[in-house]
Amino acid sequence: MSALGLIRSGTPQGARPFERFLLTAQAWAGLPAALAAEPSLALLGLWAEPGTVHAAFLDEASHAVLLASAPAEGGRYAALSPARPGAIRFERAIRDLWGLSAEGAVDDRPWLDHGRWPVAGPMSGNPAPRPGAEPPQPEFLPVEGEGIHQIPVGPIHAGVIEPGHFRFHIQGEVVVRLEARLGYKHKGTLGLMLGKTARAAAAFAARLSGDSTVAHGWAFAAAVEAALGLEVPPRAVALRAAMAELERIHNHLNDWGFVCNDAAFAFPHARCGFLREGVLRACADAFGHRLMMDRVLPGGVAPDIAPGGGQAILAALDAVEAEIPALLRVYESHASLQDRVVGTGFLDPVHAARFAAGGFVGRGSGRAFDARIAPGYAPYDLLAPAIAVEAGGDVDARVRVRVAELRTAIALVRRLLMTLPEGETLVPLPARAGEGAALVEGFRGECLHWLRLDEGGVIRAVFLRDPSWLQWPLLEAAIEGNIVADFPLCNKSFNCSYSGVDL
Amino acid sequence: MLWPRLVRALVSRPLTDPAGAAPAETVAALGERLATTARARLGRSLAIREVDSGSCNGCELEVNALQNVAYDLERFGLRFVASPRHADVLLVTGPACRNMAEAMERALACTPEPRWVVAAGDCAVDGGVFKGSYAVHGGVGAVLPVDLLIPGCPPSPAQLLEGLLALLEAEAAPRQK
């Protein structure tokens, strides 16, 4: 049976808008082989709750999303990593958090658990106390060859960035293998959300990754609203999209500038930083917060856009739009800069497709996926933005996707603000049970949120999947064969979230 | 294309003091305060090592914004350095994650005296929304000796700068006796 057929043969669980099928453990065990034969079914995420494992898939042909679950009998389930390399880190995280083992897994080293929590399996339902044992030394994949040496970097890096450890194996100047070790920022976010009402838990979704606070806030709110079957006022929908596009704009400006800065070319960095500051100040005027944190809530948006806020935003965006052509000419016409970005950090489109990488990482390597267009959601069904795809796969391609998206995002914000519907922005949440999921396109890719509410409207199970889960492993592939000095450049062109995947 | 722009920038008004924007005025006013107090204690500069002990990265966005031309941190003699060994200040963001505690302690051990530890952001102050999690010790103060708290979620660049300058004043006072 095909993997799609296998999943759809399970029992529907009534999740909205993407159905979740409960499979038997035997049916799930058939998934790895079926997936291997069916490359068009992409794995979006893999997570668990006590005794059950869940997966989210995207049918690349129809862009339909479907969820599959199976009981983990005896704390075990069949690993999907032999068929989907993107599953590797999820499986390692599932063991660390929920104590479930993936049988036949490609990699069974710990991931989030560094041996420093007071308990093992904190989400497993019966966490085992772990009194003060010495944390184990991390194991890295070996490299063999003449003259190989290692460079350990982090968790604290030289710049103002998030913590994580990078282990480089080097031959001369060339990176033979990079392996990232993350999890330093694990805050127990999912555990803190359980038992809270949707409104109370929204603060955690907004703080999964601060640079994507609007996108994650929206994905969480949409999942709650799907679970409750709640319609959001049209004004709130438009304001959410405006904020999400503003978030895309300020982050893309930031990344563009920083990529140039990492190639020691300061002018675009200075200009992008200044333009971005204008956008953030306009956001503060309009929404009362520079990053628009905690503005998207389950049930709508609060507070409403301030009087005059729209004009402030439009003025800031005019300044950005006016300068993009000149900045692009500077970017394109300096050989010293082009020499650093063109051909550097090449991500093979085959890898991007295998991992179903979203955002500028996927679209910079030819994977034409954008959750705003397909599966799609309001208000983009009426304002479908042009999708920016580059085939180059290098740092330059990822920059060019961002520049193209800057322009479409500016146009979208203008249209959204000029056609802003009147009316209320927030409706109360009914207290009832339900299960919902949502896919919202943030600046770095699609944010997948899933949750289940009980009759009192309290969260009983939840997973927040940042797009970086499927992008981080590809950074390791893209840096291979590059020189060490180009790592910051490659890393910034990916700009994966540490907090988003550390949970 | 670049050179004409640079020349124009040289002869035009600095972008750093945009008229009517309150944060920029605060920053300019605080810059004058730094000139008198920071010299007394540390000459004219303060080297800052930023350490993220588990933030959501919102604080990093605002700390980075301190360095854009609108705030131009370096005009105050405040600058970010790549190693705690070169630092006078550890500026720590995020709750004290258990997985980061050893790295935080090592960073402190690498920072020469006299030194100051600043906990920036609501999470760094007391753990923020992550308080009580199995994975965090609490605020930065649960792991490091904190000299100054800068609340905010995240604190704006103006708040961050105000806090850094307030620290300088407080530290300089006993010396002036």
Side-chain angles (χ1 to χ4, degrees):
Chain A
M1 199 188 291
S2 74
L4 258 181
L6 197 60
I7 293 167
R8 290 199 170 123
S9 71
T11 319
Q13 300 295 300
R16 286 173 296 207
F18 314 127
E19 185 55 276
R20 181 168 67 86
F21 298 92
L22 180 62
L23 279 65
T24 62
Q26 289 86 341
W28 178 281
L31 266 182
L35 286 170
E38 198 172 322
S40 62
L41 193 61
L43 178 80
L44 291 183
L46 190 62
W47 66 96
E49 57 185 300
T52 309
V53 62
H54 304 291
F57 295 95
L58 171 78
D59 180 9
E60 299 265 18
S62 66
H63 286 129
V65 176
L66 69 169
L67 312 179
S69 307
E73 291 168 354
R76 294 165 181 282
Y77 64 98
L80 302 184
S81 52
R84 291 289 180 276
I88 294 173
R89 291 187 180 179
F90 290 117
E91 289 170 357
R92 293 168 71 179
I94 286 172
R95 208 197 34 195
D96 291 350
L97 294 182
W98 289 280
L100 305 179
S101 304
E103 288 201 299
V106 170
D107 193 336
D108 62 0
R109 292 172 296 163
W111 181 242
L112 299 177
D113 186 355
H114 293 188
R116 294 166 191 270
W117 307 332
V119 292
M123 305 271 295
S124 65
N126 54 340
R130 187 168 49 188
E134 179 76 9
Q137 283 295 311
E139 283 176 46
F140 293 96
L141 297 174
V143 173
E144 288 179 12
E146 201 174 330
I148 301 272
H149 61 284
Q150 294 186 27
I151 306 178
V153 180
I156 299 175
H157 299 155
V160 179
I161 56 171
E162 301 179 75
H165 183 89
F166 297 115
R167 184 63 58 103
F168 294 91
H169 282 85
I170 307 293
Q171 198 167 33
E173 279 289 307
V174 175
V175 179
V176 180
R177 167 176 268 162
L178 161 68
E179 195 181 352
R181 183 190 189 229
L182 306 178
Y184 290 92
K185 313 188 88 175
H186 179 72
K187 299 183 269 295
T189 303
L190 299 176
L192 289 166
M193 295 174 84
L194 296 180
K196 293 199 166 62
T197 62
R199 279 273 165 83
F204 296 96
R207 285 159 186 79
L208 183 67
S209 183
D211 50 17
S212 303
T213 179
V214 174
H216 278 298
W218 189 356
F220 179 77
V224 171
E225 290 147 11
L228 298 174
L230 187 69
E231 280 288 321
V232 179
R235 187 175 176 85
V237 173
L239 286 174
R240 284 177 177 183
M243 286 192 268
E245 297 306 321
L246 285 163
E247 183 170 85
R248 198 179 319 281
I249 291 164
H250 85 71
N251 279 297
H252 281 353
L253 280 172
N254 206 36
D255 287 353
W256 190 12
F258 267 98
V259 164
C260 296
N261 196 50
D262 280 344
F265 198 76
F267 177 78
H269 178 52
R271 293 305 309 168
C272 285
F274 184 70
L275 294 171
R276 174 176 178 271
E277 181 65 24
V279 173
L280 294 186
R281 288 180 183 182
C283 290
D285 289 347
F287 301 107
H289 193 287
R290 285 162 58 91
L291 305 179
M292 301 163 286
M293 192 173 264
D294 298 325
R295 269 45 195 172
V296 179
L297 300 172
V301 166
D304 199 349
I305 187 168
Q311 282 76 12
I313 289 170
L314 293 175
L317 295 186
D318 286 346
V320 175
E321 191 178 50
E323 194 155 342
I324 288 176
L327 276 175
L328 195 57
R329 275 198 298 279
V330 168
Y331 173 80
E332 285 173 337
S333 63
H334 283 78
S336 60
L337 179 58
Q338 287 289 299
D339 180 56
R340 294 292 303 279
V341 295
V342 174
T344 305
F346 171 69
L347 172 63
D348 193 325
V350 174
H351 292 320
R354 272 196 88 197
F355 279 80
F360 38 75
V361 173
R363 292 196 284 275
S365 286
R367 183 171 180 266
F369 176 77
D370 185 328
R372 292 176 294 174
I373 296 160
Y377 50 95
Y380 297 106
D381 44 355
L382 302 176
L383 320 148
I387 187 166
V389 183
E390 293 276 336
D394 53 4
V395 171
D396 179 56
R398 290 185 283 278
V399 168
R400 285 178 188 279
V401 169
R402 286 175 168 99
V403 175
E405 289 180 5
L406 270 176
R407 290 175 153 150
T408 52
I410 290 170
L412 280 171
V413 176
R414 284 206 186 110
R415 275 184 68 185
L416 285 161
L417 291 180
M418 283 169 184
T419 59
L420 196 60
E422 294 298 322
E424 57 182 355
T425 63
L426 189 67
V427 293
L429 299 183
R432 59 171 172 254
E435 181 179 331
L439 210 57
V440 167
E441 188 76 18
F443 87 97
R444 61 162 69 83
E446 79 289 349
C447 304
L448 170 69
H449 287 215
W450 169 87
L451 54 84
R452 194 170 63 242
L453 302 170
D454 70 9
E455 294 74 16
V458 166
I459 294 177
R460 288 300 162 203
V462 62
F463 190 65
L464 318 178
R465 200 234 46 183
D466 190 85
S468 301
W469 277 96
L470 302 172
Q471 297 168 341
W472 270 118
L474 294 170
L475 176 62
E476 299 177 6
I479 189 67
E480 203 180 302
N482 286 255
I483 58 171
V484 181
D486 278 342
F487 177 70
L489 204 53
C490 297
N491 193 22
K492 198 67 214 180
S493 78
F494 272 67
N495 189 20
C496 299
S497 173
Y498 299 68
S499 182
V501 297
D502 282 356
L503 295 169
Chain B
M1 269 317 289
L2 182 58
W3 291 108
R5 290 180 160 267
L6 291 178
V7 170
R8 274 204 300 279
L10 275 176
V11 298
S12 58
R13 268 185 61 242
L15 294 168
T16 308
D17 191 15
E25 285 176 47
T26 314
V27 170
L30 293 170
E32 287 166 22
R33 278 162 59 194
L34 177 64
T36 49
T37 57
R39 273 198 201 113
R41 174 80 177 167
L42 282 163
R44 293 177 60 190
S45 84
L46 195 56
I48 306 163
R49 174 61 250 179
E50 205 263 1
V51 174
D52 177 349
S53 64
S55 80
C56 73
N57 79 30
C59 287
E60 277 56 49
L61 292 179
E62 294 299 51
V63 171
N64 268 319
L66 269 180
Q67 302 175 81
N68 72 30
V69 296
Y71 296 101
D72 188 18
L73 188 71
E74 297 216 9
R75 75 186 138 137
F76 304 105
L78 294 166
R79 68 202 167 94
F80 286 93
V81 293
S83 166
R85 293 192 193 281
H86 307 155
D88 307 309
V89 176
L90 286 186
L91 179 65
V92 191
T93 63
C97 284
R98 288 179 185 269
N99 286 355
M100 273 302 287
E102 185 186 347
M104 294 164 73
E105 285 163 354
R106 287 198 190 192
L108 184 75
C110 291
T111 312
E113 306 246 21
R115 66 188 176 207
W116 298 278
V117 178
V118 181
D122 287 350
C123 294
V125 168
D126 65 354
V129 297
F130 301 103
K131 210 174 346 192
S133 164
Y134 60 85
V136 307
H137 285 293
V140 170
V143 175
L144 302 180
V146 172
D147 298 301
L148 175 73
L149 304 171
I150 304 177
C153 188
S156 68
Q159 287 173 301
L160 286 166
L161 188 57
E162 213 170 67
L164 290 171
L165 300 181
L167 175 76
L168 280 173
E169 273 195 303
E171 288 292 323
R175 281 269 179 120
Q176 290 167 343
K177 274 178 194 167

